[in-house]
Amino acid sequence: MGPQGVRHSSDVEVGGKKIVLAVSGGIAAYKSVHVARSMTQLGADVRVVMTRSAERFVGDQTFAGVTGNAVAKDLFGDGPDAPHVELARGADLALVAPATANSIARMAAGLADDLLAATLLTVQCPIVIAPAMHAEMWAHPATAANLATLAGRGVIQVGPNSGPLMSGDTGMGRMAEPHEIVAAALDAIGHAQDLSGRRVVVTAGGTQEPIDPVRFIGNRSSGLMGFAIAHEAARRGAKVTLVTGPNTLIQPPGIEVVDVHTADEMRDAVLNGAADADVIVKAAAVADFKPVDHADKKLKKAEGPPEITLEPTPDILAELGAHPELRKPGSVLVGFAAETVEDVDQLKALARHKLEAKGADMIVANEVGTHDSGFGVRTNRAVIATADGVVDVGLVSKEALAAALVDRVVAFLALRA
Ligand code: C5P
């Protein structure tokens, strides 16, 4: 670390890292040779994948020469059966340089119509893109929308700059310089490791409290927020246990998943992991009440409306807050507060209140019940409260909120070290 905890590229250990360098077709491809060479000289294992049109600008032998690895181009051929999987598996970083308007659009759409696109759809690592295109293409709303989509998924963008373009004119769209791209790549790799050696327990989704074998009391939580946090923590090097209520999401690779249904099951699973956890993030929407009894057989409509008596579920977050002995010393406890509010000031006040009430180190309060924030949508309008104050994160993707949350968790851990 540099002065005042600022990370410098030179601090990042690159030796042995597998970097997929995806080169699409633009005049700037020649600059990617310098990127490939720099990363290789730093000790990275650079695997280049090129589109057919990229070959019009740079020969594959040039990349093979500077990286020492054969260049991948074809989805089907003499090589491995699934070359995109072979390239993507174990990659620490995917770097798309140049990222043409076309390759950006294909990434945003999730296309897999050549080896480069299929590889980018398969990688589980951070992705850095260095856009390069004519000024008009850069300014097109379609490109802006595609880049916003990618940013929402956590893709990191470097450049473009304003400068001379291939068309002979000058404007926005010139690919970032190799040293800028290498710096962004190193930052992305280094960033991915700031929870290395840490154990993180994340809860996600809603609980289901049974009424009878087929009915339950539940809520609309999708699990997206908790999954995004688990993914972000794992990406940054943590060993993650994700305790989740029923959901329809794809099981995140490299993460231990404990499936639960009820608040009681969630409590057992969380307390099980709490003693070893450096960080506990309670993103789950736990039911506050459960039926005192549930029927063994399906309740019959003919028997009329049942009387359901409710009792409180265990408040897992409050229990962990009130009993530090259940947790690893120095661990960070993060809770969520899903609130219907009039304005951000109300959200901030509720976050502050819940911070006290739950004995947590951090509360993320997010708005629910709107079309763009809370349960079942990909974005959240949120504030983050700690003893130092409340920060308004605004309306962001759940991935971006997860990153903001993990940044603060890392700062907490550093202060307690
Ligand atoms: O009190 P409220 O339900 O608003 O608190 C929300 C926070 O408390 C979330 O972090 C949630 O995961 C946690 N919680 C819990 N156990 C409950 C209810 C909520 O851990 N029974």
Side-chain angles (χ1 to χ4, degrees):
M1 280 287 165
Q4 285 141 30
V6 176
R7 192 180 315 114
H8 287 284
S9 300
S10 55
D11 298 330
V12 178
E13 184 48 59
V14 182
K17 298 280 186 207
K18 178 177 174 182
I19 298 183
V20 174
L21 176 58
V23 183
S24 50
I27 182 76
Y30 78 91
K31 291 197 217 170
S32 300
V33 176
H34 296 278
V35 175
R37 194 181 57 194
S38 297
M39 298 303 288
T40 305
Q41 282 172 348
L42 287 169
D45 177 21
V46 180
R47 310 289 184 89
V48 174
V49 52
M50 295 174 81
T51 60
R52 285 280 165 221
S53 52
E55 282 186 89
R56 292 178 171 271
F57 297 93
V58 189
D60 58 349
Q61 288 307 315
T62 309
F63 280 115
V66 299
T67 65
N69 288 319
V71 172
K73 291 182 287 191
D74 293 312
L75 259 176
F76 308 102
D78 303 334
D81 287 343
H84 55 300
V85 177
E86 208 262 333
L87 270 169
R89 195 161 281 161
D92 296 287
L93 179 75
L95 195 52
V96 191
T100 57
N102 185 44
S103 48
I104 289 167
R106 291 193 297 152
M107 286 173 77
L111 295 185
D113 52 355
D114 68 4
L115 182 55
L116 178 139
T119 304
L120 294 174
L121 201 56
T122 309
V123 290
Q124 300 293 325
C125 57
I127 301 179
V128 173
I129 57 170
M133 63 197 74
H134 298 297
E136 292 85 348
M137 296 165 98
W138 174 253
H140 199 286
T143 303
N146 289 332
L147 286 167
T149 299
L150 295 182
R153 291 185 204 142
V155 170
I156 302 153
Q157 185 183 320
V158 51
N161 300 329
S162 182
L165 302 171
M166 189 173 77
S167 46
D169 48 15
T170 297
M172 273 303 278
R174 185 180 162 83
M175 188 169 87
E177 295 306 315
H179 70 90
E180 295 173 296
I181 298 173
V182 170
L186 296 181
D187 194 46
I189 292 171
H191 208 238
Q193 296 310 306
D194 54 10
L195 280 177
S196 149
R198 301 291 193 176
R199 282 178 176 269
V200 176
V201 172
V202 182
T203 69
T207 62
Q208 298 182 348
E209 310 299 330
I211 295 170
D212 70 13
V214 294
R215 302 182 181 95
F216 59 82
I217 295 177
N219 58 66
R220 297 186 197 278
S221 172
S222 60
L224 281 169
M225 190 65 239
F227 273 60
I229 296 163
H231 200 273
E232 176 72 8
R235 186 173 83 72
R236 289 162 72 156
K239 191 169 183 312
V240 179
T241 302
L242 177 62
V243 181
T244 176
N247 64 83
T248 56
L249 304 176
I250 295 165
Q251 181 122 345
I255 291 175
E256 181 196 14
V257 178
V258 181
D259 290 306
V260 298
H261 283 87
T262 64
D264 286 298
E265 289 169 11
M266 185 167 276
R267 176 178 178 273
D268 288 348
V270 171
L271 293 191
N272 204 15
D276 293 329
D278 299 285
V279 182
I280 302 175
V281 183
K282 294 267 346 352
V286 186
D288 291 322
F289 302 102
K290 62 178 179 181
V292 173
D293 292 310
H294 62 269
D296 294 338
K297 296 247 160 46
K298 185 182 169 197
L299 297 173
K300 296 278 182 216
K301 184 158 68 177
E303 284 161 18
E307 278 212 0
I308 300 171
T309 310
L310 300 178
E311 64 179 344
T313 56
D315 190 325
I316 311 162
L317 179 63
E319 185 174 353
L320 290 168
H323 296 279
E325 70 279 7
L326 295 173
R327 297 195 277 134
K328 185 173 172 179
S331 60
V332 180
L333 182 62
V334 184
F336 268 69
E339 309 284 358
T340 47
V341 287
E342 298 298 325
D343 55 33
V344 70
D345 288 336
Q346 210 183 344
L347 199 58
K348 285 181 172 179
L350 289 163
R352 262 190 298 265
H353 168 74
K354 203 144 284 185
L355 191 69
E356 289 262 316
K358 302 273 188 173
D361 296 303
M362 198 185 305
I363 289 284
V364 182
N366 66 292
E367 200 177 350
V368 290
T370 69
H371 71 282
D372 57 5
S373 184
F375 294 165
V377 294
R378 305 204 73 91
T379 46
N380 249 343
R381 192 182 306 276
V383 301
I384 299 181
T386 63
D388 292 336
V390 192
V391 175
D392 181 6
V393 185
L395 177 65
V396 294
S397 70
K398 288 185 174 175
E399 288 79 8
L401 180 56
L405 185 159
V406 171
D407 283 347
R408 282 167 180 78
V409 164
V410 168
F412 256 98
L413 288 169
L415 284 172
R416 290 179 180 179

